[in-house]
Amino acid sequence: MRRGSILTLIAIGIVAGGIATAVAVLLPWLPEPASREAGRIHFVIWFVIVICIVIFAVVAAAIIYAVTHFRAAPDDLSDGPPIHGNTKLEIAWTLIPTVLVTAIAIVSAIVLSRNDAQGKDVLHVNVTAQQFAWSFSYPDAGGASSPILRLPKDRSVLLTLHAKDVIHSFWVPEFSQKEDTVPGLTTTLHITPDRLGTYAVICTELCGLGHALMRTTAVVMTPADFDKWLKSQKQASTTKG
Ligand SMILES: [Cu+2]
């Protein structure tokens, strides 16, 4: 291969990779993370995106170079020379994807196991989904319940999810995790909120006519505010009972 051709290929690859990088970085694809788990999941996403951009740049360079340099004349109907395989090339295109996919699998496995590991002093929250509403109860606080998911910042939370009727799915985009709620099954989700704010809780499994309206909010509060709120709920439920 001529030196000029290699330089042209590299130049096309840099331009294609640059465009792909700009699309990845300049557009807001992901919500700003509001939990530790979300931060790790975003790391996996960016790890995969970087690999994808490099592969895209190589493929785009090869295709654009081939189209511009090896274009046949309109009246040229002849076949190209026969090719009988290329062992080195085949080893390369088997080995490289194997290494990349293995790397993605290892990074994902580490992130999944770290996301599942609970910290100390876990807050338990029961999540109940039904057509078309969410409710949350706090078994550690005498079963205080709320239609809004209130969580303290920087504390390990274990959501235990149940469905009363059909399959629903719990999703807070800023927490970057989804978990189905399935009638007859108990599912769990582990979240450590790390940013104060109010976020949407969305049902992300088509569950009937009101599915689009099956939303509520998650409020991440300071631990002091959360304790105050939980205490007031506890008092309210004892006075009621
Ligand atoms: Cu739904």
Side-chain angles (χ1 to χ4, degrees):
M1 211 175 188
R2 283 181 303 115
R3 210 167 142 242
S5 314
I6 293 173
L7 287 179
T8 313
L9 273 170
I10 291 174
I12 300 171
I14 289 173
V15 172
I19 292 170
T21 306
V23 170
V25 174
L26 297 180
L27 299 181
W29 296 107
L30 297 170
E32 201 178 315
S35 75
R36 271 179 226 165
E37 292 74 17
R40 294 187 197 117
I41 286 170
H42 287 197
F43 172 78
V44 177
I45 292 172
W46 284 110
F47 184 75
V48 175
I49 286 176
V50 168
I51 291 174
C52 291
I53 287 175
V54 173
I55 293 173
F56 172 75
V58 171
V59 172
I63 290 177
I64 292 169
Y65 188 86
V67 167
T68 52
H69 286 70
F70 305 123
R71 183 188 289 271
D75 56 349
D76 178 6
L77 299 176
S78 63
D79 278 341
I83 295 169
H84 293 286
N86 182 324
T87 310
K88 272 188 205 158
L89 202 59
E90 284 163 24
I91 289 174
W93 78 42
T94 307
L95 261 187
I96 294 171
T98 306
V99 170
L100 293 178
V101 171
T102 309
I104 293 170
I106 290 171
V107 169
S108 305
I110 292 171
V111 164
L112 280 177
S113 80
R114 288 190 62 186
N115 276 2
D116 272 345
Q118 288 164 32
K120 284 179 219 144
D121 187 26
V122 178
L123 174 73
H124 294 266
V125 181
N126 290 331
V127 179
T128 306
Q130 67 185 104
Q131 291 168 320
F132 298 96
W134 297 99
S135 63
F136 307 95
S137 69
Y138 298 79
D140 308 337
S145 74
S146 164
I148 288 175
L149 176 59
R150 291 182 185 272
L151 298 174
K153 186 175 171 273
D154 294 325
R155 185 162 162 201
S156 194
V157 179
L158 183 68
L159 301 178
T160 305
L161 305 112
H162 292 276
K164 282 191 173 170
D165 36 40
V166 298
I167 301 178
H168 304 273
S169 192
F170 175 91
W171 182 42
V172 175
E174 286 81 0
F175 294 160
S176 280
Q177 298 187 91
K178 288 179 180 176
E179 186 63 58
D180 278 7
T181 69
V182 185
L185 278 186
T186 299
T187 50
T188 56
L189 187 62
H190 182 231
I191 296 171
T192 317
D194 63 357
R195 189 158 62 88
L196 298 176
T198 302
Y199 313 104
V201 175
I202 299 168
C203 176
T204 179
E205 177 65 58
L206 184 58
C207 57
L209 267 182
H211 165 64
L213 304 171
M214 190 168 162
R215 285 169 174 242
T216 182
T217 44
V219 182
V220 178
M221 320 164 80
T222 61
D225 284 351
F226 177 78
D227 286 343
K228 217 185 285 169
W229 171 79
L230 202 59
K231 224 174 254 171
S232 72
Q233 292 299 107
K234 220 177 183 173
Q235 266 160 12
S237 67
T238 26
T239 359
K240 250 190 280 164

